[in-house]
Amino acid sequence: QRINGVCDTIEKGVLTFLSPKDFHSIEAMDNPLHMITFRFFTYVLSPEMINLINEHKPPFRLFLEGEDFDKMLSAYRALEAEDKRTDTFRERALKYRIGLICLDIIRHAVQSRTDKSENEFALKETESFDLIVEELLPFIDEHLSEPLTRDEMAERIHLNPAYFSEMFKKRLGISYSEYLI
């Protein structure tokens, strides 16, 4: 799993909570992967919940085990069952259940940050800087006579193209296209 240029392994019990502005990709390796995913629009959340999420700054990456894992899985299953209902309470119940799941995730994230002092998926600019300088610049210099698009270079070091451009300019003080010229 790669979030905002930072790579980590997914295993049973890993829960990732992303915002729409997070760059995210998943690459399956040798082991089979069973994932549960749900997406929702922020209009289903109360303004207080949106403020709470923004205050604690996703993305969150949590590891749930034992009772915490079982409770989260149960909450998701209840959300899934509610989504299949057709009565007049369905939409309200979905909003309520999504709000509770978000609150539990934030509660775990705050506790995890207290334990670790920082979200392990906080933007790690130095890692992106190192990738650009140590891996990409030598490659660019060796292949300068070839077409080297920004998107191809970003993919080469597993970064989102927009994030790559931002990190490149921060590290070198000029844009990627200026560097090529």
Side-chain angles (χ1 to χ4, degrees):
Q1 176 178 17
R2 185 175 304 276
I3 299 175
N4 298 331
V6 179
C7 189
D8 204 0
T9 303
I10 298 176
E11 58 187 293
K12 181 179 179 179
V14 170
L15 184 149
T16 306
F17 184 94
L18 304 168
S19 74
K21 66 182 179 181
D22 292 309
F23 302 117
H24 177 247
S25 66
I26 296 174
E27 181 179 330
M29 302 306 252
D30 299 330
N31 299 329
L33 180 66
H34 176 76
M35 291 180 23
I36 298 174
T37 303
F38 80 96
R39 294 172 27 178
F40 58 90
F41 294 101
T42 55
Y43 75 81
V44 303
L45 299 175
S46 69
E48 294 83 11
M49 181 59 68
I50 293 170
N51 288 339
L52 189 61
I53 290 169
N54 290 335
E55 177 184 336
H56 293 286
K57 298 178 180 37
F60 308 125
R61 184 178 186 279
L62 308 172
F63 180 73
L64 302 177
E65 57 187 346
E67 189 177 320
D68 290 333
F69 177 83
D70 293 340
K71 283 181 182 179
M72 190 60 72
L73 187 58
S74 177
Y76 176 78
R77 299 275 186 243
L79 179 67
E80 224 176 16
E82 193 64 56
D83 191 40
K84 293 177 183 172
R85 297 183 65 125
T86 58
D87 61 32
T88 57
F89 298 101
R90 177 183 171 269
E91 187 174 334
R92 285 188 181 137
L94 285 172
K95 288 179 180 183
Y96 174 77
R97 290 184 187 281
I98 291 170
L100 284 176
I101 289 171
C102 289
L103 186 59
D104 281 345
I105 291 170
I106 293 168
R107 179 179 285 149
H108 283 287
V110 168
Q111 182 60 47
S112 176
R113 285 179 179 168
T114 301
D115 294 344
K116 295 180 182 179
S117 80
E118 190 174 285
N119 181 351
E120 57 184 289
F121 266 118
L123 189 61
K124 296 181 181 177
E125 291 182 355
T126 55
E127 288 182 14
S128 298
F129 290 162
D130 292 345
L131 286 172
I132 290 169
V133 172
E134 294 172 12
E135 294 182 30
L136 198 58
L137 292 182
F139 177 85
I140 293 170
D141 293 342
E142 290 175 22
H143 297 88
L144 201 51
S145 61
E146 303 168 21
L148 302 170
T149 69
R150 175 195 74 159
D151 291 0
E152 290 170 337
M153 295 303 102
E155 184 177 326
R156 184 170 191 79
I157 58 173
H158 308 290
L159 294 177
N160 174 281
Y163 180 69
F164 165 77
S165 292
E166 180 184 332
M167 291 299 100
F168 195 97
K169 185 155 186 158
K170 276 186 180 182
R171 177 64 172 109
L172 299 175
I174 60 173
S175 69
Y176 175 68
S177 59
E178 289 173 314
Y179 181 82
L180 287 180
I181 293 169

